Amino acid sequence: MLEAGSDLDLYDGPSPIGEAELAARLQGKHGLVCVLTDRVTANVLDRARDLKVVSNIAVGYDNIDVAAARSRGIVVTNTPDVLTEATAELTWALILAVTRRVVEGDRLVRRRGWKGWALDFMLGTELRGKQLGIIGRGRIGRAVAAKAGAFGMHAVFATRGARTTDLPEMSLDELLVSSDVLSIHTPLSEANKHMIDRRALARMKRSAFLVNTARGPIVDEEALAWALKEHLIAGAALDVYEREPEVHAALLDLENVVLAPHLGSATRETRTAMAELAVKNTLAVLQGRPALTPVG
C-alpha cells in the first residue's frame, strides 16, 4: 500500500496524454503507471527528476526510452505472462476470421447482399495440413504455436542466426516462401521496423495470409495494401497499426483484410491482471524491493 498522504495523480483525459503534460505532471512523482500510448521519452525523463519506476501496462515497451531510464537509475517494468493466452486466442480468432472469410461474410449479410447458399459461394481456406510460420519465439509466439495442432497445422519459427532452441525453425526467407499463414509476435525494435516490406510480401505464397498482433510498424502498411491489391498474398488480419488509431486508407476498402482495434489483451480478466501487476511492480520498487517483472 502507499503510505498515508501519498499523492496519487490520475489522468483520465479522452485522448492519450501529451509529452509536455506528462512531464509536467511527473514533477515530484516517484512512480509512473502508464499504457502503451504514453510516450515516455528521454525529454520526459529529464524533467521527472524524482521518478524511480515506470510500470508499463503492456508486454511491449517500445513507448518507453528504456536506455534513457536505465541511465537515470529508473526501473522499467512490463506485464508479461498475464496476457499471453488472451493474445494467442485473439491471434487464432484473426486467423480463422481471415481464412474462412467470416468478417467479409458478416459485412455481406449486414448490407443485405447475401442471396442464399451456393456450392461455390465465398470459399475459404482450410487450415488442416498447412504451415503456420511464426516470427517471434517468446511467450505469445509459443502459445500460438501450441494451439496449431488443434487445427491440424504445424508451426515453424523464424530464426535469423544459428539454431538456439529445440523448436522447429527455419530462416526468415524460408519461412516467407513456405508458410500458409504468417503470424507476427516479435517486439518492435529499430532493427525490425518494416521487416514485412514489399520484398518480404513478394516472397510469400500467393495463397498465404499475414496476421499481426505484435506492433504495427513491423509491417509496412503501404506495402501490404499494394501486395493485397496485386493479389501477391490472399489476405491479412491486423490488430495493430503503424500510426494507431489511424489505419492506412487503402486497407479500409479491401474485402480480404480483417481489421481489429488492438484487442490482443482485451479481456476483462487479462486487462485487470495487467493493471494489478503494474501496480505491484510500482509499489515494490517504491518500497525498496525488487520489481516483479523488470525489463532488461
Side-chain angles (χ1 to χ4, degrees):
M1 297 292 291
L2 288 172
E3 296 180 1
S6 295
D7 180 16
L8 179 63
D9 184 357
L10 174 65
Y11 175 77
D12 59 357
S15 57
I17 189 170
E19 289 187 27
E21 183 177 356
L22 177 59
R25 293 175 73 150
L26 282 174
Q27 298 301 305
K29 304 299 192 306
H30 296 92
L32 170 64
V33 176
C34 60
V35 295
L36 57 85
T37 54
D38 300 326
R39 312 305 301 179
V40 187
T41 64
N43 180 57
V44 169
L45 295 171
D46 276 340
R47 298 175 60 187
R49 300 182 182 279
D50 298 310
L51 198 61
K52 300 182 184 301
V53 58
V54 176
S55 298
N56 208 33
I57 305 179
V59 66
Y61 43 86
D62 48 282
N63 57 309
I64 302 168
D65 190 329
V66 177
R70 186 175 292 121
S71 69
R72 293 159 176 78
I74 300 170
V75 177
V76 177
T77 74
N78 63 345
T79 57
D81 297 320
V82 294
L83 53 71
T84 298
E85 287 303 317
T87 306
E89 288 175 4
L90 191 278
T91 299
W92 278 104
L94 292 178
I95 292 172
L96 291 166
V98 70
T99 58
R100 293 304 303 273
R101 304 174 69 175
V102 175
V103 177
E104 184 183 351
D106 178 82
R107 288 193 293 262
L108 180 69
V109 172
R110 289 178 185 276
R111 64 174 180 264
R112 303 184 186 278
W114 182 41
K115 305 305 180 184
W117 188 92
L119 186 63
D120 59 352
F121 177 66
M122 289 198 72
L123 302 181
T125 300
E126 288 190 18
L127 298 178
R128 179 170 51 88
K130 306 293 175 59
Q131 178 174 298
L132 172 64
I134 299 178
I135 299 176
R137 293 173 288 177
R139 297 174 181 88
I140 296 172
R142 291 177 185 237
V144 170
K147 295 171 173 54
F151 298 97
M153 299 190 78
H154 61 282
V156 182
F157 292 82
T159 177
R160 286 189 162 184
R163 177 177 288 274
T164 56
T165 71
D166 57 358
L167 298 170
E169 297 176 344
M170 60 178 62
S171 70
L172 177 59
D173 192 61
E174 290 175 308
L175 200 74
L176 289 170
V177 301
S178 62
S179 294
D180 299 287
V181 176
L182 185 69
S183 193
I184 302 172
H185 303 284
T186 187
L188 175 64
S189 67
E190 283 301 319
N192 64 23
K193 183 178 180 180
H194 284 187
M195 172 195 292
I196 305 301
D197 55 10
R198 285 198 174 210
R199 180 188 179 281
L201 290 161
R203 295 287 287 160
M204 293 174 66
K205 290 182 176 182
R206 299 299 182 264
S207 58
F209 297 86
L210 175 70
V211 179
N212 187 11
T213 58
R215 285 292 184 265
I218 296 172
V219 175
D220 182 339
E221 287 182 15
E222 183 175 359
L224 177 59
W226 164 78
L228 290 165
K229 287 181 178 180
E230 296 296 323
H231 305 289
L232 298 183
I233 63 173
L238 307 177
D239 188 45
V240 289
Y241 307 90
E242 285 194 71
R243 292 171 289 276
E244 294 185 14
E246 178 186 344
V247 179
H248 195 288
L251 294 174
L252 298 173
D253 298 325
L254 297 173
E255 287 288 357
N256 57 343
V257 183
V258 175
L259 304 171
H262 207 140
L263 298 177
S265 63
T267 68
R268 292 182 178 86
E269 298 88 346
T270 293
R271 289 283 172 85
T272 299
M274 291 168 67
E276 288 178 347
L277 178 55
V279 171
K280 288 177 181 177
N281 271 313
T282 302
L283 294 178
V285 174
L286 295 184
Q287 293 168 357
R289 295 180 283 110
L292 282 71
T293 54
V295 168

